């Protein structure tokens, strides 16, 4: 049974196999009664253990020696909780006084825009399709959230060629504008093994945070996800172990 089980059995094994640090271990999050950011732990329940786990993630990204102004957040497969981690981390940055922008770059299944009720609003895809320069149009498409210091640029209307839009000069200009206006820019991307979008964006950011579900992700899939970033020159800051079961000895798989 051990030979057939292709999942990681401990945080140490996960870090050693991937050769990247474990940035945070997040327990299974029970759904909160609320809508939008009211369902996000760091906003609705800032003193909870769950929120503290996200602050653990924020700390190395804020205080480490690496430049972490542009952060890509992705996962190896759908359903790993990347949007949940993105939302909680964005609120945590804003609470720490960092002016933060979240760019929903998941042009295929926009979880962040859906979470905040912004699906169908103009956003990233419309900016790419416009003849106006991104720095001229972006500010009018940004939505202020109920959290002070946290803004969101939704995904926009669905387009047929997401990868081509993300690889164009407009996205480079958008990130340059965001850098001039915000302390932190989080880019929520599709799963890296599902489509090439995250690899494209990874070349334009300071690094990536990979969200992993140890209870469901197979070892070979997670290793391949990290390799995919490295192949395109994207630095991987580390891994978030998400949905980890809590036992009497603390957090464990």
């Amino acid at each position: 049974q051990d030979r057939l089980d292709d999942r990681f059995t401990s945080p140490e094994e996960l870090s050693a196999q991937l050769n990247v640090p474990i940035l945070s271990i997040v327990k299974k999050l029970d759904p909160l009664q609320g809508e939008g950011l009211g369902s996000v732990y760091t906003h609705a329940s800032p003193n909870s253990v769950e929120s503290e786990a996200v602050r653990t993630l924020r700390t190395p990204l804020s205080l480490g020696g690496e430049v972490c102004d542009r952060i890509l957040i992705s996962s190896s497969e759908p359903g790993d909780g990347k949007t949940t981690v993105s939302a909680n981390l964005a609120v945590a940055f804003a609470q720490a006084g960092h002016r933060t922008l979240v760019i929903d770059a998941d042009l295929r299944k926009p979880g962040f825009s859906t979470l905040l009720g912004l699906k169908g609003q103009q956003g990233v895809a419309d900016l790419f399709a416009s003849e106006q320069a991104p720095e001229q149009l972006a500010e009018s498409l940004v939505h202020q959230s109920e959290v002070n210091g946290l803004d969101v640029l939704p995904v926009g209307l669905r387009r047929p060629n997401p990868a081509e839009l993300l690889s164009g000069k407009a996205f480079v200009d958008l990130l340059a504008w965001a850098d001039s206006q915000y302390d932190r820019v989080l880019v929520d991307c599709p799963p890296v093994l599902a489509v090439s979008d995250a690899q494209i964006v990874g070349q334009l950011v300071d690094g990536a945070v990979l969200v992993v579900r140890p209870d469901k992700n197979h070892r070979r899939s997670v290793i391949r996800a990290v390799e995919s970033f490295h192949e395109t020159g994207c630095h991987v800051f580390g891994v978030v172990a998400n949905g980890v079961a809590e036992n009497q000895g603390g957090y464990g798989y």
Side-chain angles (χ1 to χ4, degrees):
Q1 187 176 11
D2 289 342
R3 187 183 299 274
L4 294 174
D5 190 357
D6 189 35
R7 296 176 178 85
F8 294 102
T9 58
S10 70
E12 293 77 17
E13 182 186 4
L14 178 60
S15 179
Q17 288 277 327
L18 301 178
N19 199 28
V20 296
I22 304 297
L23 299 175
S24 181
I25 298 176
V26 181
K27 65 175 287 186
K28 291 181 179 178
L29 302 180
D30 296 323
L32 294 177
Q33 297 299 322
E35 297 181 354
L37 292 179
S39 63
V40 175
Y41 270 90
T42 46
H43 177 57
S45 184
N47 297 321
S48 64
V49 174
E50 294 84 357
S51 297
E52 200 59 46
V54 178
R55 295 190 190 98
T56 302
L57 168 61
R58 181 189 65 191
T59 301
L61 296 175
S62 300
L63 304 179
E66 300 175 305
V67 177
C68 301
D69 297 335
R70 302 176 176 182
I71 303 172
L72 181 157
I73 300 180
S74 183
S75 60
S76 58
E77 303 170 11
D80 291 343
K82 67 174 181 63
T83 298
T84 300
V85 172
S86 298
N88 279 279
L89 179 60
V91 172
F93 272 132
Q95 289 172 340
H98 301 275
R99 185 159 164 73
T100 304
L101 174 69
V102 178
I103 299 175
D104 190 349
D106 192 341
L107 276 64
R108 303 167 192 270
K109 191 177 179 182
F112 206 100
S113 298
T114 303
L115 173 68
L116 297 188
L118 298 175
K119 191 174 180 180
Q121 300 285 333
Q122 287 193 316
V124 174
D126 305 280
L127 185 148
F128 291 162
S130 173
E131 295 182 357
Q132 287 184 266
E135 58 270 20
Q136 297 175 336
L137 185 59
E139 188 170 357
S140 65
L141 300 180
V142 167
H143 293 257
Q144 292 183 340
S145 75
E146 58 194 272
V147 175
N148 185 37
L150 175 58
D151 294 345
V152 179
L153 181 59
V155 70
L157 302 180
R158 185 181 293 272
R159 305 286 175 176
N161 52 344
E164 287 75 14
L165 292 175
L166 291 171
S167 59
K169 183 178 181 298
F171 195 66
V172 177
D173 294 340
L174 171 61
L175 289 175
W177 169 83
D179 271 346
S180 68
Q181 302 294 319
Y182 296 90
D183 303 316
R184 305 284 176 179
V185 180
L186 306 185
V187 186
D188 188 69
C189 283
V192 64
L193 294 183
V195 290
S196 62
D197 300 11
Q199 291 175 284
I200 294 171
V201 176
Q203 301 175 72
L204 308 175
V205 297
D206 297 320
V209 172
L210 185 68
V211 180
V212 174
R213 284 281 303 273
D215 62 329
K216 70 179 279 286
N217 292 149
H218 290 281
R219 185 191 312 259
R220 59 184 178 276
S221 297
V222 179
I223 292 174
R224 179 57 188 153
V226 173
E227 290 175 346
S228 297
F229 281 124
H230 289 161
E231 286 170 359
T232 54
C234 177
H235 173 61
V236 178
F237 292 127
V239 169
V240 176
N242 187 36
V244 175
E246 186 178 7
N247 57 33
Q248 294 181 351
Y251 290 115
Y253 293 149

